[in-house]
Amino acid sequence: NAGVTQTPKFQVLKTGQSMTLQCAQDMNHNSMYWYRQDPGMGLRLIYYSASEGTTDKGEVPNGYNVSRLNKREFSLRLESAAPSQTSVYFCASSGWQETGANVLTFGAGSRLTVL
Amino acid sequence: AQSVSQHNHHVILSEAASLELGCNYSYGGTVNLFWYVQYPGQHLQLLLKYFSGDPLVKGIKGFEAEFIKSKFSFNLRKPSVQWSDTAEYFCAVNTGGFKTIFGAGTRLFVKA
């Protein structure tokens, strides 16, 4: 059972280049998320997809786009990378609990450096 | 906007010492509270969660946390830490929607 799989694990980009981070989950979860982790700032939500066919902005969406390709896959795209987007990116998924709370299952992370 | 504060960014303890990591949140309504842990080289994983009921919740590896509503706090405790507890710990709050807000994290280093 792979859980949440992200690719690539590491990437170095030059300013202005574009790239897509891929994420797939095999837990039949409805909801998927992209977070970024920066030192001293914890994890901040970039975008989320409550269910297949929907996407919504999180706390820090500027400079990013997302696609919920199907129930399993949720990709994050940087159209024109900037040094401020140097970070570790985490994909997560969740099923919907009876209480309405979301327990997140995370991928291993993707470390992106923008020069 | 909701926020989560973790008081200690770095903690260094010797094995067998007791641990308490502080977490406070700002939200006046019903909350669901979490502690996640990231061991070196591993995924973030759930340590424990509080949804309702007994405010003292127990998680994996001997960790527990106490929800004190009047103090907006959800502190993490462990009576006796081990070297293998070296990790980064994140407090998180969900107010019922899809947005879970994380604290800045606390890096714990346990000396053998």
Side-chain angles (χ1 to χ4, degrees), chain A residues 2 4 31 33 35 37-45 48-51 57-59 90 94 96-97 99-109, chain B residues 2 6 9 31-34 36 38 41-46 49-52 88 90 92-105 107:
Chain A
V4 178
S31 305
Y33 311 80
Y35 282 87
Q37 182 184 18
D38 301 293
M41 303 190 75
L43 281 81
R44 292 179 293 169
L45 182 63
Y48 67 97
S49 171
S51 60
K57 295 178 180 179
E59 300 171 76
F90 287 97
S94 70
W96 189 250
Q97 308 290 314
T99 61
N102 288 285
V103 177
L104 300 171
T105 300
F106 285 90
Chain B
Q2 296 101 45
Q6 291 184 238
H9 295 300
V31 292
N32 299 296
L33 300 161
F34 307 85
Y36 286 87
Q38 187 175 28
Q42 296 188 28
H43 300 198
L44 273 153
Q45 58 185 281
L46 182 70
K49 62 185 185 292
Y50 172 80
F51 290 168
S52 63
E88 189 161 17
F90 294 93
V93 173
N94 180 288
T95 57
F98 291 95
K99 295 181 181 179
T100 297
I101 307 299
F102 285 79
R107 286 185 184 268

Side-chain angles (χ1 to χ4, degrees), chain B residues 14-79:
Chain B
S14 297
E15 276 195 314
S18 64
L19 171 71
E20 181 160 3
L21 301 182
C23 173
N24 287 89
Y25 62 92
S26 64
Y27 184 72
T30 301
V31 292
N32 299 296
L33 300 161
F34 307 85
W35 278 96
Y36 286 87
V37 60
Q38 187 175 28
Y39 297 103
Q42 296 188 28
H43 300 198
L44 273 153
Q45 58 185 281
L46 182 70
L47 194 57
L48 49 78
K49 62 185 185 292
Y50 172 80
F51 290 168
S52 63
D54 188 344
L56 184 63
V57 293
K58 296 189 184 299
I60 60 172
K61 303 188 180 185
F63 285 90
E64 64 179 32
E66 185 175 14
F67 170 49
I68 302 180
K69 189 174 181 180
S70 60
K71 295 185 177 180
F72 301 93
S73 70
F74 190 55
N75 292 355
L76 180 70
R77 300 194 293 249
K78 185 171 184 178

Side-chain angles (χ1 to χ4, degrees), chain A residues 6-10 88-91 106-111, chain B residues 38 43:
Chain A
Q6 294 179 230
T7 56
K9 285 188 168 49
F10 300 94
V88 180
Y89 292 85
F90 287 97
C91 180
F106 285 90
S110 299
R111 186 175 294 274
Chain B
Q38 187 175 28
H43 300 198

Side-chain angles (χ1 to χ4, degrees), chain A residues 40-93:
Chain A
M41 303 190 75
L43 281 81
R44 292 179 293 169
L45 182 63
I46 305 171
Y47 271 93
Y48 67 97
S49 171
S51 60
E52 187 179 355
T54 70
T55 61
D56 282 288
K57 295 178 180 179
E59 300 171 76
V60 288
N62 292 345
Y64 304 94
N65 286 302
V66 290
S67 296
R68 183 75 182 267
L69 304 168
N70 47 56
K71 189 171 185 178
R72 290 187 64 247
E73 298 173 287
F74 188 41
S75 63
L76 178 72
R77 183 161 178 83
L78 287 69
E79 291 291 352
S80 179
S84 61
Q85 294 178 303
T86 293
S87 188
V88 180
Y89 292 85
F90 287 97
C91 180
S93 68

